[in-house]
Amino acid sequence: MRAPFRRLAATALGAGLAALAVTGLTRPASAQDVPPGLDFDDCPPADRLPAGYDPTFSMCSVTVIGGGRLKIGSIDQTITQPIKMTWANGYDPVTLESWAVFGPMRAEPQRVKGGVLGVDGSDFIPLLQISAQPQLAADPELAPEGAIALRLKLKIKTINPLLGDTCFIGGDSDPIVLNLTYTTTDPPPPNKPITGTGPHDAGDGVIASTPVDNAFAVPKSSGCGWNGILNGIADFRAGLPSAAGNNTAIFDSYTKTRTYAEMANAS
């Protein structure tokens, strides 16, 4: 597919639907699996959209990651707190030139099993508890190349009373880069290939999918404790840096999309 038309497909359908033309619809998801939070409250306002945008060809998409798994280094975490992303995207119907404007990522801190010591049941004391909160290090990229459905550049805030408020795994200049796909991955060992699930109908206008990546690397921590004095301790607990082939992202995702014309008519 030529680049302008490929970008157009991704723009028109959003990241959750970018591969629909290739994968087709698969098994329907159960309605009870759909997480809360699929609202359009974070849609970028009209004054943030390109001048002269057409509401009919401009849409807002909201995706909630409601489950799955994120393994970085020695921390293997089931996703129990929803992660919400919202963006506007559209195209010029004459030139097919596409654009995207991203809203915030919203994610509640999630307790890391085993806490500071990495031992189950040892984190009953607040000082031994660790929580992790993913944040965007840069704007996502919708279907940037090949079979990649969504490229996320993340930093993960590590929360503990001793680590301070600036302790992160990855950062704006050295992010965790996830190249999420619905197809089969090709990671270096010891990881083995895994396959995502393409977009499929979950009912009530929701499209479900499970993009995956297990070929990414994770950098060291930074900003942990006064002047980074606890970076080494944070790295030891998390097994960082962690080379490609040792990390995994599996995101059970749910997406809703409306055009700006539809939202204007509903208000």
Side-chain angles (χ1 to χ4, degrees), residues 6 18-19 22 143-150 179-184 212:
R6 185 172 170 279
V22 176
E145 58 190 84
I148 300 172
L150 177 66
N179 290 312
L180 295 160
T181 182
Y182 303 126
T183 61
T184 301
V212 299

Side-chain angles (χ1 to χ4, degrees), residues 204-232:
D204 196 28
V206 177
I207 298 296
S209 64
T210 303
V212 299
D213 183 14
N214 66 344
F216 61 95
V218 180
K220 291 183 177 182
S221 303
S222 62
C224 303
W226 178 79
N227 205 29
I229 195 172
L230 297 180
N231 289 347

Side-chain angles (χ1 to χ4, degrees), residues 17-63:
L17 304 177
L20 186 58
V22 176
T23 61
L25 290 175
T26 60
R27 61 172 180 81
S30 169
Q32 67 183 11
D33 295 332
V34 178
L38 279 171
D39 56 62
F40 297 92
D41 295 348
D42 287 335
C43 288
D47 60 9
R48 288 190 59 202
L49 305 187
Y53 80 96
D54 188 328
T56 302
F57 296 99
S58 304
M59 55 209 71
C60 182
S61 298
V62 54
T63 289

Side-chain angles (χ1 to χ4, degrees), residues 120-171:
D120 289 354
S122 65
D123 55 347
F124 61 93
I125 300 173
L127 199 63
L128 298 180
Q129 295 172 1
I130 294 179
S131 294
Q133 183 182 38
Q135 300 179 10
L136 291 175
D139 280 346
E141 298 175 42
L142 307 178
E145 58 190 84
I148 300 172
L150 177 66
R151 176 173 290 147
L152 285 180
K153 296 182 179 181
L154 299 178
K155 54 187 178 182
I156 298 178
K157 186 173 185 179
T158 306
I159 303 169
N160 171 272
L162 297 178
L163 297 178
D165 198 44
T166 60
C167 183
F168 283 89
I169 300 171

